Amino acid sequence: MQNRFLASITMLDKPLATALAPLLHEQFCGHIDASQFAMLVEASGKPEEQVLMDLLPIAAALANPPISEFYVGAIAKGKSGDLYMGANLELPGEALFHSVHAEQSAISHAWLSGETEILDVIVNYSPCGHCRQFMNELFNGSNIKIHLPQQETHPLSYYLPYGFSPADLNVTMPLLCKREKEFSLNSDDPMIIEALDQAGLSYAPYTNSNAAVVLETMDGATFCGRYAENAAFNPSMQPMQMALSNLIRHNRQYSEIKRAVLVESSEGKISLVGATMDALHAIAAIELEHIVVEPMPA
């Protein structure tokens, strides 16, 4: 079992802890598939919703908050029945806008894993306005059920009445909908090819600034992040922050990063290179490889 879960697993009832422990192996990154979750529910003898609540300390153990020292865990349950954990992330000594909220982390985990709809979000503290707006960007977002400890379950619309959504800006395919853009670039570099593919899957309906980051560690593993825009602009999730959240969820350290690539579209109204470099230089002494690509004709 990973050391970061040793304290949190002691907070669980023994039947659930015993069933969960084998899943918390060295490769565990917060993903529990539907069959594994069903096994945990059966072993615990509790209702599904209670088991989801009980798992929150495990999600919170994924957090990396050197500024606030406040550990927030979230679980996004996809339409597939799979669970995707996430936690808050802060960059040491850097401006707070570089932070990743737990709900963003969990949702981006689901998105990177191919989920197309989130049905439930379980979190150990009430979602802030930033996160409510971020969740409202999702497909069928207003109907997502929000589960909080010792509170009744309500849809997101209860927490964000009269919300501002993609539909208000005439976006008909919100975040998590299947979409892909193709870009032109000749390269045989696997890392650049991965970044190009991820940029094509990113979500940038307001600026057309499709972008993605790929980080490579010393052992050759890669961790990606895509740009995810928001109708309210500021809750947009930067690709570097998503990639760093992905890295930390996989129990890797910033010191392991040896290479970082940002690919972004030439047709975008903005560039993410400045924000990406700031985040990278806060945690690693390496230079960012910045590649601008042309979109393929429709």
Side-chain angles (χ1 to χ4, degrees):
M1 182 191 301
Q2 296 177 30
N3 289 338
R4 58 182 173 173
F5 300 121
L6 291 177
S8 55
I9 200 167
T10 64
M11 302 169 65
L12 308 184
D13 291 343
K14 188 174 181 179
L16 178 57
T18 301
L20 180 63
L23 302 184
L24 305 180
H25 48 71
E26 286 303 312
Q27 286 72 46
F28 182 75
C29 64
H31 179 213
I32 296 176
D33 68 33
S35 62
Q36 291 170 331
F37 180 53
M39 178 270 294
L40 294 177
V41 170
E42 182 177 1
S44 72
K46 297 180 180 180
E48 284 192 10
E49 186 167 353
Q50 185 57 55
V51 176
L52 289 169
M53 288 292 172
D54 289 348
L55 290 174
L56 283 174
I58 304 298
L62 302 172
N64 189 327
I67 300 170
S68 68
E69 299 182 8
F70 187 67
Y71 287 70
V72 184
I75 302 170
K77 185 178 181 184
K79 190 174 182 179
S80 67
D82 286 14
L83 308 183
Y84 304 91
M85 295 181 177
N88 57 321
L89 171 72
E90 300 157 2
L91 300 190
E94 286 301 305
L96 298 182
F97 73 80
H98 285 294
S99 301
V100 175
H101 296 228
E103 296 91 330
Q104 288 181 306
S105 175
I107 289 165
S108 66
H109 184 184
W111 187 35
L112 291 172
S113 300
E115 282 287 347
T116 56
E117 185 174 358
I118 302 297
L119 301 182
D120 301 83
V121 170
I122 304 90
V123 61
N124 57 348
Y125 294 98
S126 183
C128 68
H130 182 100
C131 289
R132 297 177 196 194
Q133 182 63 46
F134 186 81
M135 288 187 281
N136 204 41
E137 193 74 24
L138 302 178
F139 173 73
N140 210 18
S142 64
N143 293 323
I144 292 172
K145 295 177 182 175
I146 308 298
H147 305 257
L148 295 166
Q150 300 178 334
Q151 294 189 38
E152 292 184 11
T153 298
H154 294 287
L156 179 62
S157 57
Y158 173 87
Y159 292 95
L160 190 66
Y162 312 109
F164 187 71
S165 72
D168 291 301
L169 294 177
N170 300 316
V171 171
T172 58
M173 294 181 65
L175 185 60
L176 296 190
C177 288
K178 286 286 188 181
R179 60 167 74 214
E180 185 170 5
K181 284 191 173 184
E182 293 188 0
F183 295 96
S184 176
L185 180 68
N186 289 322
S187 176
D188 57 3
D189 185 324
M191 192 167 163
I192 293 176
I193 293 170
E194 181 180 356
L196 190 70
D197 289 342
Q198 293 296 332
L201 294 168
S202 64
Y203 175 78
Y206 310 112
T207 67
N208 286 322
S209 301
N210 290 74
V213 163
V214 175
L215 305 173
E216 184 180 22
T217 51
M218 299 294 184
D219 61 356
T222 58
F223 302 91
C224 65
R226 307 171 189 151
Y227 187 32
E229 285 191 334
N230 190 275
F233 285 24
N234 284 345
S236 300
M237 191 172 183
Q238 300 287 321
M240 176 58 85
Q241 277 74 356
M242 192 179 295
L244 292 175
S245 180
N246 192 4
L247 178 94
I248 294 297
R249 279 193 298 95
H250 281 83
N251 203 27
R252 308 302 289 268
Q253 305 300 315
Y254 298 141
S255 58
E256 298 180 60
I257 301 172
K258 74 171 184 179
R259 190 179 175 199
V261 172
L262 165 68
V263 166
E264 59 181 353
S265 172
S266 64
E267 68 175 359
K269 296 180 180 178
I270 62 171
S271 173
L272 305 181
V273 65
T276 304
M277 289 175 61
D278 286 347
L280 177 63
H281 291 161
I283 49 90
I286 60 174
E287 291 306 313
L288 177 70
E289 298 174 43
H290 178 216
I291 301 171
V292 178
V293 294
E294 297 289 332
M296 298 282 284

